[in-house]
Amino acid sequence: MAQDPWHFPRTELARATLAALTRGPVMAMSLFGARRTGKTEFLLRDLAVVAADAGHRVVYASFWQNPAAPLAVLLYECDRALQAKSTLVNRAAALPVKARLDLGVVSAEVDFGARRKSPPDDQVALLDAYLERLANPAKPALLLLDEVQELAAHPHGPVIMAALRTGLDKRRDGVRTLFTGSSQLGLNKVFSARTAPFYRFATPLTLPPLGEDFVDHQRAAFRTTYRRRLTREAALHAFDRFKANPFIFQQWLIALGMDVGLNEADAEARVLRDLAAQLDFDRVWLGLTSDQRAVARLLAERAQGLFGSAVEQRLTALIGQAPAPSVRQSAIRLLQRQGRADQFDKEWRLADPLFEAWVLQRPPEDF
Ligand SMILES: Nc1ncnc2c1ncn2[C@@H]1O[C@H](COP(=O)(O)OP(=O)(O)OP(=O)(O)O)[C@@H](O)[C@H]1O
Ligand SMILES: [Mg+2]
């Protein structure tokens, strides 16, 4: 298959991560990065490839894929990895509604639409049997578990996590795990709650932001695809405006590529408008009170001291008065429950960079 000109390889980071995971003293790592910053792309297109090339078996499971039945997803992906002739992961197949998994000793029918109170015992036993089969101390198998905050939030989460923890502890040398998540609060629930099975289990790793070399790489892909050139300054300026977010930046390049008459600033406005429409931000905004919108704006502006007097002037400028600290607090809690706000290094922020960019663009009359 021809190389995708748009994929910017992060091979060095993948090699270093693989080395740390397979040759270092740690059994597991947790990779954190904000929404749409390239975690999944790194897992599937860099780390999995580098690991498979080095002869490691790779299991990739995303708990976002089917949040209804996380254990079924995990078992199914283990099964596929064990059956694969090559160690390379193949993401083409869609999940079936039901699958029959069989290891000879244990077998089970897993239902991907399952909504039971707890996972059936035979499935928990099957997980252990799969980990046993996957374990290889000479070439540790890699479990890449994406969107683990979904697992933590699931009613079966505690049982699955406990089973996984036990299974992984038994095969310290044979199976290594990389957990990924886009919510720091969600990941904290998995790794920092004293009562959680994975308490301090994984060494944290933050996905380094993409930089100028990514921008240059994307300009080259733009040239190959659209037979047009883009100045470095314009590209860097846009990348900066999009806070180094690869996804928004690529949408901007596509907008420019598809419409020859469009200038860079108009492409930026169009991208944000189109993405906002797709993601229904208008509806979200309509559901917020004026106080909540003002607080969302402060989060987007990455203001400090949200509950102190420092932000009062800004709030008054936005909506004519500063809501009391307790009101600000409950606004943040509401946004957090909606998955719109999250904590990054103890600072509250809007979780989705797209929503953040959109909120920053709201004119005064929208508050
Ligand atoms: N290394 C890269 N090269 C080229 N494009 C990239 C790269 N990393 C990310 N992207 C672009 O950014 C998009 C978002 O990346 P990805 O889905 O991996 O992010 P994520 O962090 O997993 O997001 P989420 O939090 O929503 O799961 C990709 O679809 C791709 O278009
Ligand atoms: Mg992802």
Side-chain angles (χ1 to χ4, degrees):
M1 193 181 80
Q3 277 267 315
D4 171 7
W6 292 95
H7 175 67
F8 171 70
R10 304 176 97 178
T11 313
E12 279 316 305
L13 181 64
R15 288 212 183 100
T17 309
L18 180 69
L21 267 175
T22 57
R23 296 205 292 273
V26 300
M27 293 175 58
M29 296 175 102
S30 62
L31 174 72
F32 168 75
R35 291 293 318 275
R36 302 192 186 88
T37 47
K39 299 177 296 294
T40 303
E41 180 124 347
F42 172 67
L43 253 48
L44 284 174
R45 302 192 60 182
D46 297 301
L47 185 59
V49 174
V50 164
D53 283 349
H56 299 270
R57 224 180 251 286
V58 180
V59 179
Y60 170 86
S62 166
F63 296 109
W64 194 273
Q65 198 169 10
N66 187 332
L71 185 54
V73 168
L74 184 55
L75 292 174
Y76 181 70
E77 295 297 348
C78 286
D79 195 63
R80 268 160 39 96
L82 282 165
Q83 282 183 24
K85 294 241 168 13
S86 97
T87 47
L88 241 176
V89 277
N90 166 19
R91 305 286 325 137
L95 285 181
V97 175
K98 267 188 181 174
R100 192 158 176 79
L101 304 178
D102 204 336
L103 266 178
V105 227
V106 234
S107 64
E109 187 155 88
V110 300
D111 186 345
F112 290 91
R115 288 208 175 269
R116 309 165 197 261
K117 282 215 184 75
S118 64
D121 289 346
D122 58 347
Q123 290 187 18
V124 177
L126 198 56
L127 178 63
D128 196 64
Y130 275 129
L131 293 175
E132 180 63 31
R133 281 271 304 277
L134 284 165
N136 176 2
K139 290 273 178 197
L142 283 198
L143 280 188
L144 307 180
L145 305 183
D146 206 353
E147 307 286 2
V148 280
Q149 74 273 357
E150 297 303 306
L151 177 60
H154 193 273
H156 299 179
V159 176
I160 300 170
M161 290 199 294
L164 194 57
R165 170 72 204 251
T166 313
L168 293 172
D169 270 341
K170 281 201 269 180
R171 287 122 196 146
R172 289 190 77 87
D173 297 328
V175 185
R176 297 287 166 102
T177 314
L178 184 76
F179 298 90
T180 310
S182 52
S183 159
Q184 229 172 32
L185 285 176
L187 280 186
N188 282 350
K189 278 200 194 122
V190 182
F191 299 110
S192 309
R194 276 172 197 283
T195 49
F198 283 113
Y199 178 58
R200 295 209 178 137
F201 178 78
T203 305
L205 177 78
T206 301
L207 188 70
L210 291 159
E212 294 193 3
D213 42 357
F214 171 76
V215 174
D216 289 335
H217 178 275
Q218 298 293 292
R219 280 175 61 231
F222 180 84
R223 203 164 49 232
T224 317
T225 310
Y226 300 109
R227 311 264 163 232
R228 278 172 43 207
R229 283 173 191 279
L230 184 67
T231 69
R232 190 160 197 266
E233 293 92 292
L236 284 174
H237 177 73
F239 191 60
D240 193 48
R241 295 266 299 152
F242 298 138
K243 301 214 172 64
N245 188 283
F247 176 76
I248 316 181
F249 182 65
Q250 278 175 351
Q251 298 296 312
W252 178 75
L253 291 175
I254 295 169
L256 282 176
M258 306 268 293
D259 187 342
V260 186
L262 201 64
N263 72 31
E264 284 109 8
D266 291 344
E268 186 179 318
R270 182 186 291 181
V271 162
L272 290 178
R273 199 180 56 233
D274 289 355
L275 288 171
Q278 254 174 47
L279 296 165
D280 234 357
F281 289 158
D282 278 334
R283 199 180 44 79
V284 175
W285 197 245
L286 280 175
L288 299 178
T289 63
S290 165
D291 288 348
Q292 290 161 350
R293 289 177 187 179
V295 168
R297 176 64 170 249
L298 288 188
L299 296 182
E301 290 171 2
R302 304 196 180 178
Q304 311 268 318
L306 293 168
F307 309 114
S309 53
V311 294
E312 275 171 12
Q313 214 181 341
R314 180 74 188 116
L315 286 166
T316 310
L318 279 168
I319 53 172
Q321 55 171 25
S326 63
V327 176
R328 295 176 225 164
Q329 195 117 37
S330 48
I332 289 187
R333 227 172 286 128
L334 173 97
L335 291 165
Q336 188 220 326
R337 274 201 307 279
Q338 294 180 341
R340 306 245 154 240
D342 199 358
Q343 262 181 334
F344 294 80
D345 298 325
K346 306 236 156 67
E347 300 283 348
W348 284 102
R349 282 213 219 142
L350 292 179
D352 186 342
L354 272 176
F355 189 54
E356 184 181 60
W358 186 84
V359 170
L360 283 176
Q361 281 200 326
R362 289 311 86 216
E365 59 273 20
D366 271 21
F367 287 85

